[in-house]
Amino acid sequence: MLTDLLITNIKSIIQAEEVPQLKVCGPEMSEIQTIDDAFLYIVNGLIDDFGLMTDLHKGNIPYKNQTIEIIDARGKYVFPSFCDSHTHLVYSGSREMEYIDKIRGLSYSEIAKRGGGILNSAKKLHKTSEDELFVQSINRIEEIISMGTGAVEIKSGYGLNLEDELKMLRVIKRIKDTSPIEVRATFLGAHAIPEEYKSHKDKYVDIVINEMIPVITSENLADFIDVFCDNGFFSVEDTERILMAGMKYGLIAKIHANELDYSGGIQAAVKYNALSADHLEFTGDNEIKALLSSETMPTLLPGSAFFLGMNYPPARKMINAGLPLALASDYNPGSSPSGNMKLIMSLGCIKLKMLPEEVINAVTINSAYAMGISETHGSIARGKAANVFITKEIPSIEFLPYAFGSNLIETVILKGKIYSSTP
Ligand code: NIG
Ligand code: FE
């Protein structure tokens, strides 16, 4: 039996929902529900109750267990943990030399064409044992947890052959089984075209469909299927074939789309009822119209546009049109070597012109939706997982994205247990 946790004197609980919502769209994105001078009560890893301190003093809380740990959060905020719905954090080594090439003026596509980029990471991953890959990856997991992330989606896609894709997906499963963070796994065999299939891409697509998907799903190693549908990578036709095959085996579609061009990927995502369509730097009126007719969560990854010095997606136009938006880190060695979701909030405000309330919704409830877990994560509601963090003493919630370089998270609680506390 876990010890109950009672957090008292909270300056304000953020995203405290009496009636939970699965996502928020358009104008609702600038609203967040808060309770000032509050308490939060956690039992058996779940949020049991919350409310005003005055109610707690009246003795209205039905304590469930004998052992109870009390945390005084005077002057501090309690947030639901960040949900990072798009990462590639299982990878081997790093690619800072390409970063230098970029500084010297080469583009992401030019680096990829020279055998750098994703293929470079695939080479490194091939030479790395599963155990070593796990050690590198769990270090990144521990880092993102300490920065407030309580749920993460992780993609394969640096294997690009059955054996190495399985290696990645088994590492993701090991993270799922051993870490308190909530994990969802995505099979992204169609992340890049391996060197040996460069002039016969169709053959590689056939391998993804006929060899990889059946084995991966038979071992239950993935929840979602993703394709990099963009200029120089996979076409709409390839994408549709792969998504259809994955869905036949029970995988839910996700997509990398319109990062490098108007690829048609957004429309393909909508057609296959994708849970999310991600990147979206090239989004025009037709793409917005398609997304408005769907349940697909548009997910923006400002870390990669920032790191690559590329265009940002038209977030304001999308919200004003009534769309929901999620934000995620895209944590990967090539285009966004950071899983810092607080920094992503700052980039959302500074570069995407989103308001602090909008970015808070985008990194909690909407990104939970984008990984299919908004019934259990992404806000503070009774019965939801007790994945929350307590801030340091800060003047306002706006201070969080504003102080973009400061670590403002003091205590991390995952599944109702204190994971770390650094006053
Ligand atoms: O989401 N766009 C495609 N894939 C990754 C980049 C991966 C890499 O460069 O290693 C992304 O940005
Ligand atoms: Fe990505």
Side-chain angles (χ1 to χ4, degrees), residues 86-88 108 118 153 155 158 188 191 226 228 255-256 259 278-279 301 304 329-332 335-336:
H86 181 138
T87 82
H88 310 248
Y108 185 67
I118 296 165
E153 180 262 15
K155 299 173 196 295
Y158 293 121
L188 176 58
H191 193 195
D226 194 342
F228 189 7
I255 200 166
H256 279 72
E259 177 184 6
D278 302 19
H279 271 297
L301 311 168
S304 62
S329 75
D330 200 14
Y331 195 175
N332 77 72
S335 67
S336 186

Side-chain angles (χ1 to χ4, degrees), residues 111-127:
I111 291 169
K113 275 196 202 116
R114 296 195 329 178
I118 296 165
L119 296 183
N120 188 0
S121 283
K123 256 185 242 151
K124 291 182 200 286
L125 187 123
H126 182 68
K127 293 190 212 132

Side-chain angles (χ1 to χ4, degrees), residues 92 264 301 310 410:
S92 178
L301 311 168
M310 289 168 70
E410 186 169 279

